[in-house]
Amino acid sequence: MLILVLLGLLPCLVSSAVLDKKAGETSSDIFPPTGTTVNTAIFPNESEVGYPGITLTGVEPAAIQTAPASLYAYNTDPLSSYPLVSDHPNGSNGEDGFDITKYWGNLSPWYSVSSNFYGLNETSPNSPKGCSIIQVHLLYRHGARYPTTGSPPSTFASKISNATKQEKGFNSTGELNFLNEWKYLLGAELLTISGRLQNFALGASFRQQYGYLLNNFTESKTLPVFRTESQDRMVKTANNFAAGMFGVPEYLDQVNIEIMVETPGINNTGAPYETCLNSNVASKGSIGSTAAAAFAKNAFNETLERLQSQITGVNLTSTDIIAMLQLCSYETDALGYSAFCKLFTEEDFENYEYYFDISFYYNNGAGSPVAAAQGKGFLSEFVSRFTGGPTPKADSSVNSTLDNNPIYFPLNQSIYADATHEVIILDTLTAFNLSAIFSSGPLPINKRTENSFKASQVVPFATHLTIQVLECSNTSPSKQIRFILNDAVLPIDQSYDGCEYNKDGLCSFDNVVNVLQKRIEEIDWNHDCLGNYTASPGNDYNGRAPRN
Ligand SMILES: *[C@@H]1O[C@H](CO)[C@@H](O)[C@H](O)[C@H]1NC(C)=O
Ligand SMILES: *[C@@H]1O[C@H](CO)[C@@H](O)[C@H](O)[C@H]1NC(C)=O
Ligand SMILES: *[C@@H]1O[C@H](CO)[C@@H](O)[C@H](O)[C@H]1NC(C)=O
Ligand SMILES: *[C@@H]1O[C@H](CO)[C@@H](O)[C@H](O)[C@H]1NC(C)=O
Ligand SMILES: *[C@@H]1O[C@H](CO)[C@@H](O)[C@H](O)[C@H]1NC(C)=O
Ligand SMILES: *[C@@H]1O[C@H](CO)[C@@H](O)[C@H](O)[C@H]1NC(C)=O
Ligand SMILES: *[C@@H]1O[C@H](CO)[C@@H](O)[C@H](O)[C@H]1NC(C)=O
Ligand SMILES: *[C@@H]1O[C@H](CO)[C@@H](O)[C@H](O)[C@H]1NC(C)=O
Ligand SMILES: *[C@@H]1O[C@H](CO)[C@@H](O)[C@H](O)[C@H]1NC(C)=O
Ligand SMILES: *[C@@H]1O[C@H](CO)[C@@H](O)[C@H](O)[C@H]1NC(C)=O
Ligand SMILES: *[C@@H]1O[C@H](CO)[C@@H](O)[C@H](O)[C@H]1NC(C)=O
Ligand SMILES: *[C@@H]1O[C@H](CO)[C@@H](O)[C@H](O)[C@H]1NC(C)=O
């Protein structure tokens, strides 16, 4: 009777069926299904798979020692990304609420974005009234990592270190006094402590929100297959996510983690740049990097002059300013605190974010000629998962050896979770034509402009795209789908033919599948990734290469 009363209160038909089962479940109905085990022969671990990439550790953090006494990462402090300590910008005491960690592009810790930002002001990720979420597809990025090999911070460190060896010597004073004692303490490539926490928290919140969908696996007596790539930080990302989702040590027994090889020449939807040869060509896949560097040349002149006046023995360039800003981000992310942050003004941080906006918009967004092609692999795989088959065509980064095998590419899960890199998440958003994130058009490259594309909102650490498949009692047809990026529900009516404005971002599942199947057909991997053409920044290519 009590159960019936409770069920009567439930707004959604299907979830009541799911929850109904839960109410009467016995221990044999509870996840993990009885008699299941992780099969390490079929799903070998990191050391068996190999290709971990570079694995360089840094020093132990000591934020309790290095941060000023007035700055501690209290979990209530809106200016901190717990447990990181972030400083106030130059010229600010923090009273205006300016949070520097939201201006670090792909080096920002992820934060919730309001649906309102993309124009849906009356919705949330929770199941809309009358609807029940019956399937969820998650695509998420690794958490905070050390700098990738050869990025600006280590070059800057080498420049300073070389200067100290010169006869005339190196001297820094005033704000830069700390540089006299400063040492480069970061490793390379690996997931950091805060990165581990971000992925763990993501897994825990995912279980909190969608745990009931595990009941499907219990019914079929199978374990979920979640995927990642072979780089060490990618394996650790999937492990930490799974630990958050299933618990420690239960995660070792409750999910099969599939590690796809990431190395040049191998088809891998999570690392398409390994076969998309145009992805790193200056006039093609990396026009954004060049444009961003050009923007930086003019954006920091005042700060450059101010810092140069306090240092002798090195001539600072705009590349050094970017390196020092990145050191602010990386040292905070890895060591918990960085003395570089307070060198820069609020405007510097806004320009730093815009530098990343340009770089990502033109390397992996609408302004890139290779973005859609690189995202086509995940797009094809997700559409196969939506429809339960057929398996994807191998005309992109799809690896048909894996995808034609239901052990490695099951098509009947209620929950999917793939880990990848930020560039691929943005490539995938572009392939899906989720153009609400690009609605303000191509970014001007010479001057910062207010725009809808914010790298820190789209490609931060642990960024995640959540795709919900829903059954609704108040829509026709009843099967619906919607897209959620870092908690913001994305409107799709502007870019999906046949989808009308819906306040919850919903559209007919069948219609969306139709639109996406056409999109798969129009994206030409061979031309975009291997063809000969010239692209330039300033255009909205819808992620596809020009024919010239
Ligand atoms: C990886 O798997 C191999 C073979 O099953 C096993 O010998 C090894 O201990 C495992 N390593 C880890 C870190 O679990
Ligand atoms: C900030 O910049 C000003 C110059 O614009 C400089 O005088 C000052 O020392 C800087 N540092 C702080 C912490 O305000
Ligand atoms: C949302 O926007 C619409 C149209 O601009 C407006 O009528 C409505 O009041 C807004 N709702 C909220 C909750 O702000
Ligand atoms: C520092 O000096 C070393 C050895 O001479 C050189 O290889 C390296 O390129 C220099 N670093 C920079 C940033 O100039
Ligand atoms: C560094 O510069 C400051 C200010 O010009 C000066 O007082 C100090 O003696 C210099 N230190 C060294 C080691 O040259
Ligand atoms: C497909 O993936 C497997 C495992 O990651 C790899 O060994 C194989 O070489 C890949 N195939 C191609 C064609 O890249
Ligand atoms: C900034 O400095 C660069 C290099 O010195 C110079 O070419 C450029 O004109 C300056 N830009 C502005 C806006 O002052
Ligand atoms: C810095 O630039 C000045 C002027 O171009 C030059 O004389 C000096 O040698 C440079 N110093 C270093 C350390 O490169
Ligand atoms: C790997 O990708 C290429 C390019 O799309 C494709 O031609 C080839 O068939 C794929 N190989 C496999 C095993 O999927
Ligand atoms: C998916 O299908 C396979 C093969 O038919 C079956 O063994 C498995 O139990 C199914 N998994 C789920 C989660 O339903
Ligand atoms: C999950 O289970 C529910 C209830 O049994 C069912 O309606 C739904 O179709 C299942 N989902 C998948 C993806 O199999
Ligand atoms: C690409 O096209 C340009 C312009 O037509 C031509 O000069 C160049 O040789 C071509 N490159 C290749 C690799 O075919």
Side-chain angles (χ1 to χ4, degrees):
M1 190 57 205
L2 179 61
I3 290 170
L4 282 178
V5 171
L6 287 174
L7 283 178
L9 294 175
L10 284 168
C12 333
L13 297 171
V14 178
S15 77
S16 64
V18 173
L19 296 175
D20 185 17
K21 182 171 291 296
K22 189 106 193 161
E25 74 195 355
T26 65
S27 63
S28 67
D29 292 331
I30 295 172
F31 189 88
T34 44
T36 57
T37 47
V38 157
N39 190 334
T40 51
I42 297 179
F43 294 96
N45 64 23
E46 180 179 13
S47 49
E48 296 279 300
V49 173
Y51 302 98
I54 287 164
T55 55
L56 182 62
T57 52
V59 297
E60 288 299 337
I64 209 80
Q65 297 271 114
T66 57
S70 59
L71 294 174
Y72 177 84
Y74 291 106
N75 197 14
T76 52
D77 185 351
L79 287 184
S80 75
S81 292
Y82 181 81
L84 307 178
V85 180
S86 64
D87 225 317
H88 307 307
N90 176 294
S92 158
N93 57 10
E95 272 166 12
D96 62 358
F98 189 94
D99 180 355
I100 62 169
T101 69
K102 294 190 166 63
Y103 297 86
W104 295 352
N106 66 327
L107 308 181
S108 286
W110 88 274
Y111 55 93
S112 289
V113 178
S114 162
S115 303
N116 200 21
F117 184 82
Y118 297 110
L120 296 178
N121 65 351
E122 289 177 330
T123 191
S124 89
N126 286 341
S127 195
K129 204 163 184 291
C131 298
S132 155
I133 294 154
I134 57 169
Q135 191 182 46
V136 65
H137 303 254
L138 181 72
L139 183 64
Y140 68 103
R141 185 195 184 195
H142 59 76
R145 57 156 164 72
Y146 287 126
T148 47
T149 321
S151 61
S154 57
T155 311
F156 174 78
S158 157
K159 182 171 173 173
I160 297 295
S161 158
N162 286 1
T164 61
K165 291 177 200 138
Q166 296 304 309
E167 201 187 319
K168 275 277 190 68
F170 167 82
N171 189 4
S172 55
T173 58
E175 290 178 274
L176 287 175
N177 202 21
F178 74 95
L179 264 188
N180 290 310
E181 305 296 323
W182 176 76
K183 287 197 178 57
Y184 186 70
L185 302 174
L186 302 169
E189 306 278 351
L190 302 177
L191 197 64
T192 67
I193 297 165
S194 66
R196 193 193 294 165
L197 179 59
Q198 287 154 355
N199 291 131
F200 184 94
L202 194 62
S205 67
F206 194 62
R207 178 71 174 267
Q208 198 84 68
Q209 292 164 347
Y210 296 99
Y212 68 96
L213 291 173
L214 286 171
N215 291 337
N216 287 63
F217 296 94
T218 311
E219 274 170 33
S220 63
K221 298 207 186 312
T222 47
L223 293 180
V225 175
F226 289 173
R227 302 186 306 171
T228 191
E229 292 76 41
S230 63
Q231 278 190 352
D232 184 77
R233 74 170 168 279
M234 297 311 310
V235 176
K236 300 292 158 58
T237 289
N239 287 350
N240 279 289
F241 178 87
M245 181 162 177
F246 299 99
V248 177
E250 290 87 348
Y251 81 96
L252 294 168
D253 298 323
Q254 300 187 1
V255 57
N256 285 303
I257 295 178
E258 175 175 343
I259 303 173
M260 304 187 285
V261 170
E262 170 167 0
T263 202
I266 296 291
N267 292 19
N268 179 338
T269 48
Y273 38 73
E274 301 292 13
T275 50
C276 183
L277 301 180
N278 284 342
S279 72
N280 285 318
V281 175
S283 62
K284 301 183 172 71
S286 58
I287 52 176
S289 310
T290 316
F295 167 77
K297 268 206 150 105
N298 285 309
F300 301 103
N301 286 16
E302 265 178 47
T303 295
L304 188 58
E305 206 177 303
R306 171 167 58 89
L307 297 181
Q308 184 67 69
S309 73
Q310 303 174 72
I311 190 169
T312 55
V314 289
N315 289 337
L316 295 175
T317 65
S318 63
T319 309
D320 296 324
I321 297 294
I322 291 295
M324 293 162 93
L325 279 158
Q326 289 194 358
L327 279 160
C328 157
S329 308
Y330 279 122
E331 287 190 343
T332 306
D333 284 330
L335 305 176
Y337 175 75
S338 172
F340 282 96
C341 298
K342 64 173 182 293
L343 299 177
F344 299 99
T345 63
E346 292 187 1
E347 192 184 8
D348 290 332
F349 282 106
E350 285 168 355
N351 283 327
Y352 180 45
E353 168 69 29
Y354 196 68
Y355 162 89
F356 285 120
D357 298 349
I358 292 176
S359 180
F360 281 92
Y361 182 90
Y362 293 111
N363 278 353
N364 304 98
S368 158
V370 296
Q374 295 201 89
K376 184 178 179 179
F378 273 139
L379 170 60
S380 307
E381 290 185 330
F382 278 53
V383 169
S384 291
R385 288 169 170 176
F386 293 159
T387 54
T391 55
K393 265 199 219 164
D395 58 359
S396 60
S397 56
V398 163
N399 181 326
S400 56
T401 310
L402 296 175
D403 284 10
N404 290 341
N405 182 343
I407 293 176
Y408 294 114
F409 194 67
L411 289 170
N412 54 357
Q413 296 191 158
S414 49
I415 300 181
Y416 294 95
D418 290 332
T420 187
H421 302 272
E422 85 283 43
V423 286
I424 309 312
I425 291 188
L426 181 51
D427 289 334
T428 305
L429 296 167
T430 307
F432 268 88
N433 211 355
L434 292 168
S435 59
I437 59 173
F438 306 125
S439 63
S440 57
L443 272 61
I445 57 178
N446 47 2
K447 188 170 171 291
R448 190 178 83 241
T449 315
E450 259 321 299
N451 73 93
S452 71
F453 180 76
K454 301 230 176 294
S456 66
Q457 295 184 172
V458 177
V459 289
F461 289 127
T463 185
H464 48 287
L465 171 69
T466 311
I467 305 175
Q468 297 175 336
V469 179
L470 312 92
E471 270 294 325
C472 301
S473 58
N474 51 0
T475 61
S476 175
S478 61
K479 195 168 183 185
Q480 301 279 311
I481 190 169
R482 63 177 184 160
F483 301 88
I484 299 170
L485 182 62
N486 295 329
D487 294 341
V489 181
L490 300 176
I492 57 175
D493 53 296
Q494 297 298 314
S495 53
Y496 281 54
D497 268 352
C499 290
E500 306 205 319
Y501 170 82
N502 177 284
K503 75 168 187 59
D504 292 306
L506 296 171
C507 185
S508 150
F509 175 87
D510 288 339
N511 189 70
V512 166
V513 165
N514 236 310
V515 167
L516 293 177
Q517 281 166 340
K518 290 202 185 96
R519 181 70 169 157
I520 291 171
E521 289 306 312
E522 79 177 16
I523 301 171
D524 184 345
W525 164 276
N526 278 325
H527 174 66
D528 299 1
C529 285
L530 309 172
N532 186 9
Y533 56 83
T534 301
S536 51
N539 300 297
D540 178 351
Y541 288 127
N542 194 11
R544 299 173 54 211
R547 308 237 156 215
N548 60 21

